[in-house]
Amino acid sequence: ALPIYKDNEKSLDMTKLYQENIFLGYTLIVQQNNRIGAGNRNMGEIFELDAKKTIRWKFEINTYPVDAQMIGSNRVMVAEWQGNRVTERDLKGEIKWEYNCGAPPFTVQRLANGNTFIAMQGRLVEVDRNKNPVWSIQRPNQDLQRARKLPNGEVAFVTNVGAYFRMDARTQKINKQFNVQAPNLIFGSMDVLANGNVLVSHYNQSRVVEYNKDGNQTATTNVTQPNSVVRLPNGHNLITSYQQRKVYEYNGNQQVWEYQTDGLVFVARRR
């Protein structure tokens, strides 16, 4: 194989190993169905679409799930707002692992080291597989609205007044701080890019903004009442609109994909 590589080294585009051609194209959606009518129940639902928008699997949770992440081919992590817990479930919804947060969680993230990062309005915590806290950060004024743990050991978060922080998780030293507009809705996600830029949805302003590492706006996408945004490997943004009950994919300001949900949509992620 090595001689073949050497013969074609100059013509090979190695970046394609990381592009969407190795992406499954499955979209995970978390919603609260709140359907009205005989036989309908107000339930949280977690499901996954294939590339043709066909539902691959689906299960219900009655504890108001607001975030989820696939952590393998048949496992999903769920933040359960009314249950004050994070669970790991199979694709039938059966619990395989559980952590009692002591407060409503709005974000859950499985980390590369196998630990789990959890965000609540007044606390950020990372726990290991044995449910032992590795570190935690308290926010006495209960002001957190978005949070992500970054690969370099920092944690990024946005408060309800639009203050953005990048903090060393263990020392709690603030490495970066600037102002963005507040997300305005507690349920949703933000994304922090490899170059330090941050994507934030602004629900009341009906737009998603990309800020550079110094807080300057570099791109804006106009979307009605957005509450969640993630950057896809192809450079597009996957955006949810809470009240519009839609999931969109945007290439810059051009919409290239959409899915109409039948419930209030909190988060969408793609793998």
Side-chain angles (χ1 to χ4, degrees):
L2 187 57
I4 295 175
Y5 170 76
K6 287 181 176 294
D7 292 342
N8 296 278
E9 180 179 3
K10 293 183 179 180
S11 63
L12 289 174
D13 183 0
M14 300 301 289
T15 62
K16 290 184 177 179
L17 291 175
Y18 303 96
Q19 292 178 352
E20 60 182 343
N21 60 320
I22 61 169
F23 220 48
L24 296 173
Y26 297 161
T27 304
L28 179 73
I29 295 174
V30 183
Q31 70 173 19
Q32 189 72 15
N33 66 31
N34 69 351
R35 301 184 191 98
I36 299 174
N40 288 321
R41 297 183 295 165
N42 191 347
M43 292 287 287
E45 295 177 333
I46 298 174
F47 60 97
E48 190 173 52
L49 307 174
D50 65 16
K52 297 181 179 179
K53 303 182 185 179
T54 301
I55 294 178
R56 302 184 64 246
W57 54 264
K58 184 177 187 177
F59 60 81
E60 295 181 338
I61 301 181
N62 62 4
T63 51
Y64 213 77
V66 294
D67 190 22
Q69 177 194 356
M70 291 297 299
I71 55 173
S73 61
N74 61 354
R75 290 288 186 275
V76 57
M77 294 287 299
V78 185
E80 303 178 27
W81 178 260
Q82 292 181 352
N84 291 342
R85 67 182 181 179
V86 163
T87 56
E88 179 181 324
R89 297 171 181 259
D90 64 20
L91 302 188
K92 295 180 180 179
E94 296 179 0
I95 296 175
K96 302 300 180 180
W97 184 87
E98 179 178 347
Y99 177 76
N100 184 356
C101 302
F106 64 83
T107 287
V108 62
Q109 181 184 353
R110 176 59 53 85
L111 306 176
N113 62 5
N115 292 349
T116 302
F117 170 71
I118 303 166
M120 295 154 275
Q121 288 178 286
R123 184 183 183 220
L124 303 173
V125 63
E126 180 180 334
V127 298
D128 63 22
R129 191 65 183 172
N130 295 319
K131 307 178 186 180
N132 300 311
V134 176
W135 58 265
S136 66
I137 297 169
Q138 297 292 138
R139 299 285 294 183
N141 48 355
Q142 303 278 315
D143 63 349
L144 297 175
Q145 287 196 335
R146 296 289 183 274
R148 295 294 290 170
K149 179 74 187 296
L150 308 183
N152 66 355
E154 290 180 315
V155 60
F157 57 90
V158 179
T159 71
N160 57 9
V161 295
Y164 172 75
F165 296 89
R166 284 182 67 142
M167 173 188 291
D168 185 288
R170 292 183 179 272
T171 67
Q172 300 191 19
K173 176 186 175 182
I174 303 295
N175 296 326
K176 178 70 68 173
Q177 178 180 354
F178 53 78
N179 291 326
V180 301
Q181 289 181 324
N184 305 122
L185 187 68
I186 185 66
F187 306 128
S189 69
M190 71 174 188
D191 206 356
V192 181
L193 310 182
N195 63 0
N197 289 9
V198 57
L199 292 168
V200 184
S201 59
H202 299 306
Y203 182 80
N204 287 351
Q205 289 75 32
S206 287
R207 63 181 188 157
V208 170
V209 178
E210 179 175 343
Y211 299 87
N212 69 14
K213 61 182 180 180
D214 296 315
N216 299 313
Q217 296 184 19
T218 63
T220 299
T221 303
N222 297 316
V223 180
T224 302
Q225 298 173 316
N227 62 307
S228 174
V229 57
V230 296
R231 174 63 54 83
L232 301 176
N234 61 5
H236 298 179
N237 291 334
L238 189 67
I239 301 170
T240 66
S241 177
Y242 176 75
Q243 287 286 2
Q244 298 298 309
R245 305 186 180 205
K246 286 189 176 183
V247 181
Y248 302 100
E249 180 181 342
Y250 272 85
N251 178 13
N253 269 302
Q254 181 181 2
Q255 181 185 316
V256 297
W257 183 93
E258 90 172 44
Y259 179 77
Q260 179 72 61
T261 69
D262 56 359
L264 298 171
V265 59
F266 297 127
V267 166
R269 304 187 188 278
R270 187 171 291 165
R271 62 185 178 107

